[in-house]
């Protein structure tokens, strides 16, 4: 959908502005991009060499050692599968239930509309706390299960508002005519609303997928006992901690520790280099998926601006 | 309602909708009810039921005594411990830090996101626009732990890989490297800057989307009146996305006591602690790490109460000013 | 409509299971609490009835033991050879749940709240949360000569130290100490693992191996200053004079030195006088003197200004560049950096320890290793097979398995020399440094928390390669050999003082400050206050130092330090009264 109509001759002011604009955007992109490229370079650089400093955009001593260490950890393969499955389940359940609920609260005459909206919006602003939430999950027998990954998080109030607003842009006439034809609400939702909502659903899908992909705390808190339920981010976290402390032993603080018997244990890379490799491995899957959804973004988001 | 009355053969035509009362309406809207109330109950179970855990704030909670009823009740003791004395000084200072960091991040984030959206909107080449957008979205996909590490490296001295200092020195803006992470006065800026770097591109999505919804004929009319670029931005684009801005603003105000966590955790240190420590870090150090969950609960309650007051206030004011409301 | 009804049904089912679940669980909880106290008794009677030995572990009766560990080490790889050995020889499979120390607090909290634990719990927190949280079973009944004989012998001479009160008034043994319980001859006086003011070897070589005895702060920093002036860069990067360690959890790097300078051993944040009374030293003159000195050194540009803003791995990375001339640290803490330098063939950039003290006070840096208390494995109340688990731990303490865990497999990881001493080839030593090799060949996480037969074995070999003197000499690089000879010393240990016998109550840093106590809160506040003012004091202009120090001591005055001293002094008295005896 075009915003501007190109039928004007460009004035000098225009040219100046455009040049500035393009230049600024390029510099901005460079600032965004540099740290990422730097991380990529470090990940492909020999760990010991990185320590000397001076790596910017290109590895100086190319090495795949860091990646070798990451991929040798056989737990990340099943963790990857779990992460992918978890993300897919979360996305599907989220999209379906959030949009269904959003549809109901978009109906102006729905009597429970305001109550439901308030109850959901308020949930954005409180959290019961670590222990009460844990107790609930435990009472529901969801500790060490796959269910705990998706069931407690099906509806996010923010996404609800976004989808609700989008649904409000759908002309009433579509719905009215369907009602006249005798369609019930659920059918209207399934056959009319959902297909029309694809842009916004794609966007929300990406929001949700990124959140789910990056999360590790839920694994840590609820599922750390079951190796086969571990997720990619959590495994990478643990790898990083082990690399960092490889030269030390478990000891507690409080003013000093024991003399170690295990001196001299180290690894052939450094924590810094390993962290770079882990970053890349964790981020790449998402970066690969999102271009496919990208074209929906612009059209899919709407918050506010729609008359009641 | 009216439609139904008109088309039923046996009723007289009446323009007054039949009054049905609450339950009557519920029954007639039962499909909608079935589509929403179970989900409501679900949410109540997972979000509201655990709130009973807030009783921990009034107890001396020991996790090993599992039952909520067998704990030792201490009334408002924990509140006193949190808000007064040397702890209280620290906690109140942290509230200040949280508000400051949040506010600066909010304002900076808004202004820059809208500005960038406006600039992107002016780009005519779809290809270039797409590329820039993709690049600016990328930092959003990184987790905060990684971003904290990147920030730490970028702000170090040049010999430790500090790009920012390197650039500033090469451009002769400064002579000696600035120790950004040692100076408390920079910390709020560091937090706002990191948030900006990570979320700027992502935040523009919403505004760009709203801009596409603006009626193009408005621009055509402005062109015919001889308006220049900036006038169009000021009088058409900005007002066009005003509703979006307002609703997002109301939501964000409710989150003013959430200033992040990872950045402060990884980049905070003794030199900057006066300005860097936020409520969540305090809760971690004095609550969780000391096994004092009651303290953590009190802090959480405090945050929630403040958030709800703020968001109700913002919503109300917005309505009174004639703007869009969230609820 | 049908589809919709199915979805609705699903939701309803979920919600109803929730309702039933919460009801059932409360009864479950109380049941398990009741059961736990009776379990050991019933188990003991079964064991007694069956002939008073623990169940033997054989491959015919495979068992799975679930273990929860706080460790930085990763779980072993699936193809780990020792895992396989455990299965083939003992029928034992271990399911690991490993939590990194950073996150252990949160996990411990929810585990205690949840009440369900794996069979083996390997904890390292000094607060003994699992013990006071009644998560572990008392092991006294197993610790007899006819049951867990090796474990019994492990704790017997130290029974009074190890027995802890879980809150019911009686003292039992809950956890087996994982480090520094020595058997036989204590070998390994070759490496030195603990505190010191480290100084670069190249620096000492360049200054012609100056005499390191009667070291003072002034001498130490003069050496650094001279070298830094002579060599302002190392490998193209600026030379750093002195690095201060102050990262999260390691603040002791900044706050401990004053006690050593005053000739006191490592008692954490207190100094104990000749009357066995402990006092905080953070606001005393001995501390002020050290930090004022650092302040002056900073004015000369000898201190790394980034010390206080860097994280631990940035600290290590900096050390690994070889341009840090000196730091106060404990040897085990920078092992990573040391090895990085060695693998880059930069032995001259590694460090030896010096012992500066004030005014000719005798240095007391090296102490005799103290046994860990309340760190190691315990058996949980949820364990359904405690006999098996104790039997397993007992077997692991046998010399045969200790050799496997610490030396490896004969022929693969080491060989036996003609004199019966274990020896390793260069290749065997090198592969120990490879993370990937280790995950397939060592059981590091388990080993970290398991009880150890430290000292020497009955055949005269040292407990592990690190403490076998012949290994030390064989792996000494040429540079190091030369260095040691120039100083007329044989090992790194020789650079330190001879440790006197530890006082009975030593060390004070592991006296428990109970959760929720004023002492615990004051301790955290002390650390926070130190973090807030000391960096400022060190980096400030010398004329500002007095002012900032006053602010610091004023801030300390607001902290309830008496609470800490009271708890510590009480602990000292308890230890003096109770730690004499064995069982």
């Amino acid at each position: 959908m075009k915003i501007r109509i190109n039928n004007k001759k460009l004035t000098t002011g225009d040219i100046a502005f455009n040049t500035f604009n393009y230049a600024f955007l390029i510099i901005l992109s460079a600032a965004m991009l540099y740290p990422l490229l730097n991380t990529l370079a470090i990940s492909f650089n020999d760990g010991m060499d990185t320590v000397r400093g001076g790596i910017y955009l290109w590895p100086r001593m190319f090495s795949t050692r860091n990646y070798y260490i990451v991929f040798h950890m056989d737990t990340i393969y099943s963790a990857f599968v779990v992460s992918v499955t978890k993300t897919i389940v979360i996305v599907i359940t989220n999209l379906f239930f959030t949009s269904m609920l959003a549809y109901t609260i978009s109906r102006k005459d729905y009597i429970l509309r305001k109550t439901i909206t308030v109850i959901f919006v308020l949930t954005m602003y409180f959290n019961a706390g670590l222990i009460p939430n844990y107790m609930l999950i435990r009472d529901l027998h969801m500790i060490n299960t796959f269910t705990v990954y998706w069931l407690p998080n099906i509806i996010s109030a923010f996404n609800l508002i976004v989808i609700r607003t989008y649904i409000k842009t759908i002309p009433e006439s579509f719905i009215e005519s369907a009602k006249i034809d005798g369609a019930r609400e659920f059918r209207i939702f399934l056959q009319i609303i959902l297909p029309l909502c694809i842009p916004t659903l794609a966007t929300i899908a990406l929001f949700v997928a990124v959140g789910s992909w990056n999360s590790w705390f839920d694994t840590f808190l609820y599922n750390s006992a079951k190796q086969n339920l571990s997720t990619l981010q959590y495994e990478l976290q643990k790898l990083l901690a082990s690399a960092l402390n490889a030269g030390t032993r478990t000891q507690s603080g409080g003013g000093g520790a024991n003399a170690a018997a295990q001196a001299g244990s180290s690894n052939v890379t450094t924590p810094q280099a390993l962290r770079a490799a882990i970053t890349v491995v964790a981020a790449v899957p998402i970066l690969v998926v999102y271009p496919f959804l990208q074209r929906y973004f612009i059209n899919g988001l709407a918050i506010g601006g729609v008359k009641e | 309602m009216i439609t139904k009355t008109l088309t039923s053969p046996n009723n007289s035509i009446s323009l007054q909708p039949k009054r049905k009362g609450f339950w009557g309406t519920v029954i007639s809207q039962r499909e909608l009810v079935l589509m929403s109330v179970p989900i409501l109950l679900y949410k109540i179970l997972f979000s509201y039921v655990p709130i009973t855990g807030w009783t921990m704030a009034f107890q001396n909670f020991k996790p090993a005594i599992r039952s909520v009823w067998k704990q030792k009740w201490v009334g408002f003791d924990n509140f006193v411990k949190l808000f007064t004395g040397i702890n209280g000084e620290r906690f109140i200072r942290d509230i200040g830090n949280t508000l400051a960091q949040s506010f600066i991040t909010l304002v900076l984030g808004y202004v820059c996101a809208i500005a960038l959206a406006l600039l992107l909107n002016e780009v005519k080449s779809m290809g270039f626009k797409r590329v820039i957008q993709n690049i600016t979205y990328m930092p959003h996909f990184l987790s905060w732990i990684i971003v904290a590490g990147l920030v730490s490296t970028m702000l170090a001295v040049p010999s430790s890989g500090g790009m920012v200092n390197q650039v500033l020195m090469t451009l002769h803006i400064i002579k000696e490297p600035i120790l950004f992470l040692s100076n408390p006065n920079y910390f709020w800026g560091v937090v706002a800057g990191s948030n900006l770097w990570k979320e700027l591109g992502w935040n523009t999505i919403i505004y760009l989307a709203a801009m596409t919804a603006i009626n193009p004929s408005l621009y055509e009319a402005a062109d015919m009146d001889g308006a220049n670029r900036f006038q169009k931005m000021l009088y058409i684009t900005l007002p066009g996305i005003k509703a979006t801005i307002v609703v997002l603003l109301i939501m964000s105000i409710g989150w003013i006591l959430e200033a992040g966590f990872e950045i402060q955790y990884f980049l905070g240190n003794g030199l900057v602690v006066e300005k860097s420590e936020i409520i969540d870090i305090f809760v971690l150090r004095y609550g969780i790490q000391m096994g004092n969950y009651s303290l953590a609960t009190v802090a959480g309650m405090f945050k929630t109460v403040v958030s709800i007051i703020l968001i109700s206030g913002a919503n109300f004011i917005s309505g009174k000013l004639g703007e869009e409301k969230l609820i | 409509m049908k589809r919709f009804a199915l979805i609705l049904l699903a939701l309803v089912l979920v919600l109803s299971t929730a309702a039933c679940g919460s009801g059932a669980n409360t009864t479950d909880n109380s049941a398990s609490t009741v059961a736990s106290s009776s379990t050991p008794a019933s188990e003991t009677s079964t064991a007694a009835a069956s002939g008073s030995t623990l169940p033997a572990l054989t491959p015919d009766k495979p068992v799975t033991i679930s273990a929860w560990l706080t460790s930085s080490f990763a779980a072993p790889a699936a193809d780990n050879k020792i895992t396989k050995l455990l299965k083939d020889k003992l029928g034992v499979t271990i399911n690991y749940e490993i939590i990194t120390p950073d996150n252990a607090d949160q996990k411990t909290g929810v585990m205690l709240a949840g009440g369900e634990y794996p069979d083996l719990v390997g904890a390292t927190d000094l607060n003994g949360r699992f013990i006071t949280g009644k998560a572990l079973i008392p092991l006294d009944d197993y610790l007899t000569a006819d049951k867990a004989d090796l474990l019994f012998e492990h704790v017997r001479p130290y029974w009074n130290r190890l027995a802890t009160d879980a809150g019911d008034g009686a003292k039992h043994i809950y956890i087996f100490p994982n480090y520094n319980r020595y058997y036989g001859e204590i070998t390994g006086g070759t490496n030195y693992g603990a505190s010191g003011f480290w100084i670069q070897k190249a620096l000492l070589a360049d200054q012609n191996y100056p005499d390191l005895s009667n070291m003072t702060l002034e001498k130490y920093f003069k050496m650094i200053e001279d070298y830094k002036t002579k060599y302002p860069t190392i490998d193209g990067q600026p030379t750093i004079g002195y690095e201060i360690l102050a990262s999260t959890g390691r603040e002791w790097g900044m706050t401990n030195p004053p006690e050593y300078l005053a000739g006191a051993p490592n008692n954490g944040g207190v100094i104990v006088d000749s009357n066995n009374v402990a006092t905080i030293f953070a606001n005393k003159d001995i501390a002020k003197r050290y930090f004022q000195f650092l302040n002056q050194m900073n004015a000369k540009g000898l201190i790394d200004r980034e010390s206080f803003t860097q994280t631990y791995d940035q600290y290590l990375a900096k050390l690994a560049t070889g341009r840090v001339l000196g730091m106060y640290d404990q040897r085990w803490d920078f092992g990573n950096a040391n090895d990085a330098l060695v693998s880059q063939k930069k032995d001259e950039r590694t460090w030896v320890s010096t012992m500066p003290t004030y005014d000719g006070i005798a240095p007391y840096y090296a102490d005799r290793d103290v046994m860990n208390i309340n760190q190691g494995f315990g058996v949980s109340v949820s364990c359904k097979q405690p006999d098996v688990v104790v039997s397993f731990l007992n077997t692991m303490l046998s010399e045969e398995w200790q050799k496997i865990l610490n030396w490896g497999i004969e022929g693969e990881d080491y060989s036996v020399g003609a004199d019966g001493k274990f020896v390793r080839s260069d290749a065997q030593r090198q592969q120990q440094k490879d993370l990937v090799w280790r995950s397939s060949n060592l059981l590091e996480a388990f080993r970290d928390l398991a009880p150890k037969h430290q000292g020497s074995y009955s055949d005269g070999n040292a407990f592990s390669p690190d403490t076998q003197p012949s290994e030390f000499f064989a792996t000494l690089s040429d540079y190091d050999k030369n260095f040691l000879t120039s100083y007329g010393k044989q090992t790194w240990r020789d650079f330190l003082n001879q440790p006197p016998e530890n006082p009975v109550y030593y060390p004070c840093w592991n006296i428990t400050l109970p959760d929720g106590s004023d002492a615990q809160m004051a301790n955290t506040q002390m650390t926070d206050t130190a973090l807030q003012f000391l960096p400022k004091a060190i980096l400030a202009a010398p004329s500002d130092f007095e002012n900032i120090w006053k602010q610091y001591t004023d801030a300390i005055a607001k902290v309830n330090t008496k609470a800490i001293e009271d708890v510590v002094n009480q602990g000292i008295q308890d230890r003096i009264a109770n730690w004499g005896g064995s069982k």
Side-chain angles (χ1 to χ4, degrees), chain C residues 297-523:
Chain C
M297 292 302 105
N298 177 57
K300 289 198 199 177
L302 293 176
I303 311 254
D304 181 14
R305 299 180 70 91
E306 284 193 316
S307 293
F308 306 105
T309 58
Q310 59 197 1
T311 57
Y312 176 57
D313 64 312
Q314 286 170 324
Y315 167 78
L316 287 177
K318 206 165 257 179
L319 291 183
T321 59
R323 50 198 184 102
V324 174
L325 298 177
M327 66 275 184
Y328 164 83
D329 199 349
Q330 304 205 9
R331 175 63 176 83
W332 55 268
D333 190 57
F334 62 85
N336 207 315
N338 209 69
D339 296 319
L341 285 170
V342 168
S343 66
Q344 289 174 67
K345 305 275 187 289
K346 287 193 185 162
D347 293 74
E348 70 277 10
R349 299 283 171 211
T350 58
W351 306 267
V352 284
S353 176
T354 65
M355 303 184 289
T357 53
Y358 295 135
D359 315 315
I361 298 175
Y364 192 160
Y365 278 73
D367 53 10
R368 303 212 183 169
D369 293 325
V370 280
M371 193 172 55
N372 269 358
I373 301 180
N374 288 341
Q375 295 184 43
F377 278 126
V379 181
S380 79
V381 295
S382 317
C383 177
K384 305 228 177 353
Q385 39 179 12
D387 277 8
V388 171
V389 174
V390 175
S391 175
F392 172 65
L393 283 180
N394 201 44
T395 316
M396 285 295 107
L397 200 46
S398 66
E399 288 204 8
E400 176 202 355
W401 279 100
Q402 286 287 308
K403 285 179 191 164
I404 294 178
L405 287 176
N406 294 289
W407 276 94
I409 308 230
E410 185 185 338
E412 286 177 36
D413 305 311
Y414 68 97
S415 38
V416 187
D419 55 354
K421 292 277 190 214
F422 295 166
V423 80
R424 296 189 297 182
S425 70
D426 257 342
Q428 287 168 336
R429 290 186 199 114
Q430 277 308 107
Q431 65 190 11
Q432 295 272 339
K433 298 195 194 253
D434 180 354
L435 249 193
V436 169
W437 181 89
R438 291 199 339 230
S439 71
S440 300
N441 291 277
L442 299 176
L443 225 48
E444 291 185 292
F446 177 79
R447 179 173 76 179
D448 194 19
L449 285 149
K452 301 180 185 47
H453 194 285
Q454 285 176 262
S456 15
Y457 299 114
S458 47
D459 62 2
N461 274 303
F463 161 70
S464 80
D466 297 319
T467 46
Q468 182 99 307
S470 48
E471 276 290 307
F472 172 75
F473 290 111
T475 54
L476 219 43
S477 69
D478 286 330
Y479 179 84
D480 282 339
K481 277 198 195 114
N482 186 33
F483 188 85
L484 283 169
T485 320
S486 310
Y487 263 103
K489 301 198 195 287
Q490 296 237 309
T491 67
W492 304 119
R493 247 311 177 157
D494 295 336
F495 282 89
L496 274 301
N497 61 291
Q498 278 294 88
E501 182 90 27
N502 290 334
V504 172
Y505 56 78
Y506 187 80
C508 291
W509 55 263
N510 62 8
I511 293 180
T512 311
L513 302 175
D515 258 358
S517 64
D518 288 337
Q520 187 199 38
M521 166 104 44
N523 200 38

Side-chain angles (χ1 to χ4, degrees), chain B residues 135-148:
Chain B
I135 294 179
T136 52
Y137 298 162
M138 286 218 273
H140 172 82
F141 296 118
L142 303 175
S143 63
W144 266 113
I145 296 181
I146 293 168
V147 174

Side-chain angles (χ1 to χ4, degrees), chain A residues 56-90:
Chain A
Y56 298 116
L57 283 176
W58 210 251
R60 182 170 54 209
M61 200 191 279
F62 186 83
S63 150
T64 52
R65 180 85 195 155
N66 303 320
Y67 287 100
Y68 174 70
I69 294 181
V70 174
F71 287 113
H72 180 85
M73 192 174 67
D74 36 349
T75 50
I76 68 166
Y77 297 104
S78 68
F80 179 80
V81 170
V82 172
S83 284
V84 169
T85 317
K86 168 186 169 193
T87 304
I88 292 179
V89 171
I90 288 181

Side-chain angles (χ1 to χ4, degrees), chain A residues 51-52 65 72 74 134 138 140 220-221 224-225 241-242 244 247-250 252 254-255 258 260-261 266-267 275, chain C residues 18 29 72 78 97 107 110 114 124 179 237 256 266 312-313 321 332 339 370 372 433-434 436 438 448 466 509:
Chain A
V51 149
R52 290 170 39 209
R65 180 85 195 155
H72 180 85
D74 36 349
Y134 185 88
R138 187 200 53 154
L140 295 175
F220 162 73
L221 206 58
S224 57
S242 72
L244 186 62
T248 71
R249 293 178 309 117
T250 306
S252 303
N258 282 318
S266 81
N267 44 350
R275 171 182 280 141
Chain C
N29 254 348
S72 320
E97 182 179 349
K107 193 69 183 179
V110 297
T124 60
Y179 278 107
Q237 300 258 36
N256 267 8
N266 185 5
Y312 176 57
D313 64 312
T321 59
W332 55 268
D339 296 319
V370 280
N372 269 358
K433 298 195 194 253
D434 180 354
V436 169
R438 291 199 339 230
D448 194 19
D466 297 319
W509 55 263

Side-chain angles (χ1 to χ4, degrees), chain C residues 7 40 74-76 79 84 87 107 126 146 156 195 199 211 222 226 296 301 324 382 393 398 440 454 500 530:
Chain C
I7 295 170
D79 60 354
K84 192 163 176 311
K87 193 142 193 285
K107 193 69 183 179
L126 288 177
D146 53 356
R156 195 180 52 81
S195 288
I199 197 163
D211 185 13
K222 182 88 180 45
D226 289 343
Q296 290 160 356
V324 174
S382 317
L393 283 180
S398 66
S440 300
Q454 285 176 262

